[in-house]
Every structure is written in structure tokens, then in C-alpha cells.
Amino acid sequence: GENVEQHPSTLSVQEGDSAVIKCTYSDSASNYFPWYKQELGKGPQLIIDIRSNVGEKKDQRIAVTLNKTAKHFSLHITETQPEDSAVYFCAARTGFQKLVFGTGTRLLVSP
Amino acid sequence: DGGITQSPKYLFRKEGQNVTLSCEQNLNHDAMYWYRQDPGQGLRLIYYSQIVNDFQKGDIAEGYSVSREKKESFPLTVTSAQKNPTAFYLCASSVLWVSYGYTFGSGTRLTVV
């Protein structure tokens, strides 16, 4: 079955810096890759997603890139702000099967 | 507004008691899921259901039970057989036949006292 690895587990940046979180997946048939943001005490919220027929997608300060050959995808956050501090989860899905989640990255943005 | 509602937000359980966590969605989603999250940890799948009156065990089903009598509802019972139930429980739902992400509820924090 699918396996998703996520790195780093913790990431500390200064406000205004960029942050990059990377995930690798094992199933070459996976075709959908969402990213979730979880604030303390809340449920995860979808922030951006990408499908296998697209290499990059942007939404204001966040972007996701996908390299199907290498089977990895990354979340990029530019001009980080303290409110970006949260836990971020990547996930991968093959067709109609269940999402498989990464282990999460705790991002801390210091003022 | 469409969404997924979990209740209660906080729940306290005495040793040996069963407790039931509620999850309701009005998104007309076919599939529903229960996850457990321990402090600083990832998401572990407990049970999931793709259709009414049918559900499957996830990775950590022991000590838990579910039912799916209505499309909108997927309650989770934490039984006395679950030895370490203190955790944050998340319910999610999704469209089944299209490859989209999940919509999560706001979670229930269960504490054994």
C-alpha cells in the first residue's frame, strides 16, 4: 500500500523567511496530493492540493510542487507570518482509496 | 453552511465506562472516517465507512466501535476495552467516487479521569 514520509518533523523560521516542507510517496499510481494545516486544538483544514497532471500550484503565499518521477511533493510558504505557525500534514491518494497522511511538520514562525 | 460537526468538544470518562462521540455531516458525503491523534503525533485511522450500514477497521480499531445507520452520522464508541483512550479524536468525511480531500470536524478531546 501507499506510504508517505514527511520531513522535517519540526521547522523554525524567522518571520518573513520562506518555509519548505517535503513529502515522498511510494505508490506511483497516486494522483491527488492535499496539504492540511492544523492549529492547536482544532481539526486539520485543507490549504492547497495538487493533482498528478499538474506540476505546480500557487495560492497567494503558498505553493505546492509535484515531481512524479521522483515521487515527491513539497509545500512552500513565502513571507511567513506568526499566524502560519501550526502543524502541516501532507497526504496522498490513489484513485478512490483512502488518503494516506504524512506524520506532520510543526512549523514555528518567530516574530 | 455545510460542514461536519463533532460533539462534545471536551469529554471526561471514568475508568471502565463506555463513551460515545458524535459526528454529523450535512455535506452529502458518502464516506466518513474516525482518527485518533495523540499529543505531538500524527493521525491514526480507527474506523471508516463508505456506505450506510457498512464500515471497516482502520489501523487501531481495538477498543472502539462504530455504527453507520444514517448517511449523515457516524458515531464512535470508546469502550472500556480501550486501555489508553485519552486523546484527541477527529472525524472526517469525503466524496467517495471522486479523488478529493477530506473535510475534518473540530475534534473531541477525551480525557480519562
Side-chain angles (χ1 to χ4, degrees):
Chain A
E2 175 67 280
N3 182 52
V4 176
E5 295 188 358
Q6 183 171 348
H7 299 280
S9 57
T10 306
L11 179 60
S12 294
V13 299
Q14 292 291 121
E15 183 177 359
D17 288 349
S18 294
V20 181
I21 302 170
K22 299 181 179 180
C23 289
T24 60
Y25 61 98
S26 60
D27 187 349
S28 57
S30 287
N31 60 352
Y32 177 70
F33 307 91
W35 284 89
Y36 290 85
K37 175 184 181 181
Q38 185 180 26
E39 296 178 345
L40 193 62
K42 297 184 179 180
Q45 298 293 310
L46 179 69
I47 55 171
I48 196 168
D49 55 11
I50 192 168
R51 299 186 185 281
S52 57
N53 58 347
V54 176
E56 182 176 2
K57 183 177 179 180
K58 279 186 172 182
D59 183 3
Q60 299 183 349
R61 294 186 299 108
I62 61 172
V64 57
T65 58
L66 172 64
N67 183 325
K68 287 190 296 182
T69 303
K71 290 190 282 188
H72 66 71
F73 56 113
S74 300
L75 177 71
H76 304 253
I77 306 174
T78 59
E79 300 173 20
T80 54
Q81 301 168 4
E83 51 265 38
D84 294 327
S85 296
V87 177
Y88 292 81
F89 291 98
C90 64
R93 188 172 191 177
T94 304
F96 309 138
Q97 297 181 27
K98 301 186 302 299
L99 276 176
V100 177
F101 288 90
T103 50
T105 295
R106 184 172 301 276
L107 174 64
L108 177 61
V109 180
S110 303
Chain B
D1 287 339
I4 184 165
T5 301
Q6 289 187 242
S7 62
K9 188 172 179 64
Y10 299 97
L11 187 58
F12 297 89
R13 189 193 96 170
K14 291 183 180 180
E15 296 275 358
Q17 278 185 338
N18 293 355
V19 290
T20 297
L21 284 60
S22 171
C23 179
E24 304 274 337
Q25 54 98 359
N26 61 2
L27 300 165
N28 199 31
H29 284 174
D30 297 294
M32 298 186 74
Y33 312 83
W34 275 105
Y35 287 89
R36 170 178 171 145
Q37 189 174 33
D38 292 287
Q41 301 299 310
L43 305 170
R44 292 191 289 169
L45 183 64
I46 305 173
Y47 269 99
Y48 66 102
S49 168
Q50 296 180 323
I51 194 170
V52 172
N53 293 323
D54 189 44
F55 45 83
Q56 286 77 42
K57 292 182 179 180
D59 301 317
I60 56 164
E62 185 175 351
Y64 300 97
S65 66
V66 293
S67 63
R68 187 88 186 276
E69 298 177 1
K70 299 187 300 181
K71 186 176 182 179
E72 302 78 19
S73 179
F74 191 40
L76 173 74
T77 296
V78 184
T79 75
S80 56
Q82 171 49 242
K83 297 307 176 188
N84 186 20
T86 295
F88 189 52
Y89 291 87
L90 287 160
C91 180
S93 68
S94 74
V95 175
L96 183 58
W97 301 114
V98 181
S99 195
Y100 281 121
Y102 296 173
T103 300
F104 282 87
S106 55
T108 292
R109 186 167 301 281
L110 173 63
T111 303
V112 173
V113 296

